[in-house]
C-alpha cells in the first residue's frame, strides 16, 4: 500500500472534528520524518468566520480549501518530500479531488464512537470550530469505500497505541524515516 517511492508518499489523515486527526498526523510525521500540514490552516478567513458562528460549510466553501491542500501536496511532491496532511475529507468527492492527478495520495480515516468525539470536543479549547458543528459533519461523512486507497484506524486507546495502529495499517512501521 506504499506510495510510488518514498519521496512521493502522501497520507491524508481524515475524519470528523475531534476524532484525533492532528494527533495521528503529528505521530506519523514524527515517526517518519515527513512534512506535516494542518488542513485547517488552509481555510480562508471567510470559512473560519462561518464555522466560528456555528454555520456548517457548503461544498462551495470547501472546494477552494481542498484545492489549496492539493497545491500544498503538489509542491511537496515536486521536491520529493513525503508528506502527511490533516483534512476532514468527509465526502468521497472531496477525496477524489485530493487524489486528482495524485495517485500516491492515500487516506488514514481516524474513527471513534460519536460519544467519544462529543466528549473530546466539549473539552477542546482554542479551536474556532464549535462542537455544535459535529452533527453536520457526522451527517456528511462518507466512510472510505473499499475501492479507495487507505485505511481506517480506531482512535480508541492511548495516543501511542493509535499512532502505532496507523503506522502498521499504512505499512509504515519499521520503515526508515524519509
Amino acid at each position: 500500500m506504499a506510495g510510488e517511492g518514498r519521496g512521493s508518499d502522501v497520507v491524508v489523515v481524515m475524519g470528523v472534528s475531534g476524532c484525533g486527526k492532528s494527533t495521528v498526523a503529528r505521530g506519523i510525521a514524527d515517526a517518519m520524518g515527513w512534512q506535516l500540514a494542518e488542513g485547517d490552516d488552509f481555510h480562508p478567513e471567510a470559512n473560519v468566520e462561518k464555522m466560528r458562528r456555528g454555520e456548517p460549510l457548503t461544498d462551495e466553501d470547501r472546494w477552494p480549501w481542498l484545492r489549496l491542500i492539493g497545491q500544498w501536496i503538489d509542491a511537496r511532491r515536486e521536491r520529493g518530500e513525503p508528506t502527511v496532511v490533516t483534512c476532514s475529507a468527509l465526502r468521497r468527492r472531496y477525496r477524489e479531488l485530493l487524489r486528482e492527478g495524485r495517485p500516491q495520495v492515500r487516506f488514514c480515516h481516524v474513527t471513534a464512537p460519536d460519544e467519544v468525539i462529543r466528549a473530546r470536543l466539549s473539552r477542546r479549547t482554542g479551536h474556532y470550530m464549535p462542537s455544535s458543528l459535529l452533527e453536520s459533519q457526522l451527517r456528511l461523512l462518507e466512510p472510505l469505500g473499499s475501492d479507495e486507497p487507505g485505511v481506517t484506524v480506531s482512535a480508541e486507546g492511548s495516543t501511542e497505541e493509535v499512532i502505532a495502529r496507523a503506522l502498521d495499517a499504512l505499512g509504515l512501521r519499521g520503515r526508515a524515516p524519509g
Side-chain angles (χ1 to χ4, degrees):
M1 192 177 275
E4 299 175 2
R6 284 204 179 121
S8 61
D9 276 342
V10 179
V11 174
V12 176
V13 181
M14 62 167 283
V16 298
S17 184
C19 71
K21 293 184 297 290
S22 296
T23 301
V24 171
R26 194 173 310 106
I28 293 169
D30 288 350
M32 299 305 297
W34 289 4
Q35 295 293 314
L36 170 66
E38 281 288 337
D40 285 344
D41 294 342
F42 294 90
H43 274 297
E45 190 58 34
N47 283 8
V48 172
E49 286 306 313
K50 193 172 185 178
M51 288 184 281
R52 197 172 271 137
R53 290 190 306 265
E55 298 175 34
L57 298 180
T58 65
D59 282 356
E60 291 72 30
D61 296 324
R62 286 186 176 97
W63 294 128
W65 169 63
L66 291 165
R67 287 186 189 100
L68 286 173
I69 293 171
Q71 290 168 7
W72 183 86
I73 291 169
D74 291 342
R76 300 300 145 325
R77 282 179 46 222
E78 285 175 17
R79 295 184 199 145
E81 297 173 355
T83 61
V84 59
V85 60
T86 63
C87 176
S88 54
L90 298 172
R91 301 181 87 174
R92 183 183 186 104
R93 61 185 174 187
Y94 303 163
R95 297 187 293 272
E96 288 171 350
L97 182 113
L98 290 170
R99 283 190 42 81
E100 194 171 280
R102 302 174 190 100
Q104 48 287 94
V105 169
R106 56 197 169 128
F107 300 93
C108 178
H109 183 185
V110 181
T111 64
D114 296 355
E115 60 274 5
V116 170
I117 294 171
R118 282 186 191 92
R120 286 180 179 178
L121 288 176
S122 71
R123 293 186 304 269
R124 184 161 78 173
T125 59
H127 196 279
Y128 56 80
M129 186 169 153
S131 58
S132 61
L133 289 177
L134 177 61
E135 295 310 315
S136 69
Q137 285 197 338
L138 291 170
R139 281 192 303 276
L140 202 60
L141 177 64
E142 297 171 358
L144 280 177
S146 61
D147 60 333
E148 290 183 274
V151 299
T152 300
V153 175
S154 169
E156 295 185 276
S158 71
T159 299
E160 295 76 20
E161 290 169 337
V162 176
I163 292 167
R165 272 197 303 274
L167 290 166
D168 286 342
L170 290 163
L172 298 175
R173 190 102 132 149
R175 279 184 43 189

